[in-house]
């Protein structure tokens, strides 16, 4: 059976607050349309210099804990050399070094193979950019 490649661009509005947005259902819907029961890989990529993709538990406080940890590691103050936008915006440009702009995940039988409490999340600390794009690509 020849390999299949499919891609889709999601539009995500993150708002004017730091956000961890759960994309797991979007990923599942994409795979339902494209994987057709195949095994393969799902790549999730955010083409922005100030956002990242994380695999973590959501809804039990871990998403807020991640934002708190990022605020501690990357405070929004005037220490950053990159200085346009909101105060401390330079930290947003450092975020992808800690939360990478991509994740590649296994797909088994056409379904995302995540652990029990794992979710695919967009992490966005840039309050100046409320609209994000996320590219989902399946190879299987």
């Amino acid at each position: 059976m020849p390999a299949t490649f499919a891609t889709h661009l999601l539009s995500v509005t993150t708002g004017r607050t730091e956000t961890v947005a759960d994309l797991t259902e979007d990923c599942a819907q994409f795979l339902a349309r494209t994987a057709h029961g195949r095994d393969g890989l799902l790549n999730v990529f955010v083409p922005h210099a100030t956002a990242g993709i994380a695999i973590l538990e959501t809804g039990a406080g871990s998403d807020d804990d991640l934002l708190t940890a990022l605020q501690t590691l990357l405070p929004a103050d005037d220490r950053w050399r990159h200085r346009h936008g909101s105060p401390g915006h330079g930290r947003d440009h450092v975020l992808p070094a800690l939360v990478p702009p991509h994740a590649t995940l296994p797909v088994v039988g056409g379904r995302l193979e995540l652990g029990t409490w794992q979710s695919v999340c967009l992490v966005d600390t840039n309050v100046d950019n409320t609209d994000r794009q996320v590219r989902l690509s399946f190879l299987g």
Side-chain angles (χ1 to χ4, degrees), residues 105-127:
L105 304 161
V107 175
V108 177
R111 298 174 55 119
L112 198 53
E113 190 74 7
L114 291 172
T116 302
W117 303 112
Q118 290 181 316
S119 296
V120 180
C121 298
L122 169 66
V123 179
D124 187 2
T125 59
N126 182 356
V127 299

Side-chain angles (χ1 to χ4, degrees), residues 30-54:
F30 169 70
L31 290 171
R33 290 190 311 270
T34 60
H36 307 291
R38 293 174 179 251
D39 294 349
L41 296 171
L42 174 68
N43 183 264
V44 183
F45 175 71
V46 56
H48 297 282
T50 59
I53 301 295

Side-chain angles (χ1 to χ4, degrees), residues 3 12 14 20-21 23-24 28 35 38 54 84-85 87 90 98-99 121 133 139-140:
V12 180
T14 55
V20 175
L23 305 176
T24 309
R38 293 174 179 251
H84 72 84
L98 300 175
V99 181
C121 298
Q133 302 294 306
L139 178 63

Side-chain angles (χ1 to χ4, degrees), residues 8-13 132-134:
H8 175 70
L9 195 61
L10 290 175
S11 294
V12 180
T13 300
R132 298 300 188 159
Q133 302 294 306
V134 178

